[in-house]
Amino acid sequence: MASIAGVAACSACTERDATAEKSGRPTLAIDSEGPGHWRIRSWQWRANAWHPLIARATRTDAGIEVSGPIDAADRAKVIARLGA
C-alpha cells in the first residue's frame, strides 16, 4: 500500500530541471496527466532557437514507454525520474 501511495503522490507532481535554467536552455518538464501518464516537454536547439518537443510517457508492465520526440540529452533523465 505504501508503494502505491508513493507512486500516486509522484504521478501528481510536476518535475523541472533546475540546471537547465542556468545554461539558457529551457526547462525539461514532466507533468502528470493522471496515474501512470505524463506529458513531457523537452527542448531542441535548431535554426538558432530552442524549439519544444512534446512527448507522452506511460507506465506499462515492461517499464516506462515514451511516445513522441524527446531530445537525446533528456531521454535518460525522463526514464530515470519516472522509473523511480
Side-chain angles (χ1 to χ4, degrees), residues 10-60:
C10 181
S11 67
C13 66
T14 296
E15 294 191 41
R16 306 277 184 215
D17 184 0
T19 59
E21 294 174 2
K22 296 177 185 174
S23 66
R25 184 173 197 255
T27 303
L28 168 66
I30 303 171
D31 298 314
S32 176
E33 291 188 323
H37 298 277
W38 298 270
R39 179 180 180 268
I40 302 159
R41 185 178 61 244
S42 179
W43 297 88
Q44 184 177 58
W45 180 261
R46 64 178 191 275
N48 295 319
W50 288 107
H51 297 273
L53 300 173
I54 306 298
R56 299 281 191 284
T58 305
R59 185 177 310 277
T60 66

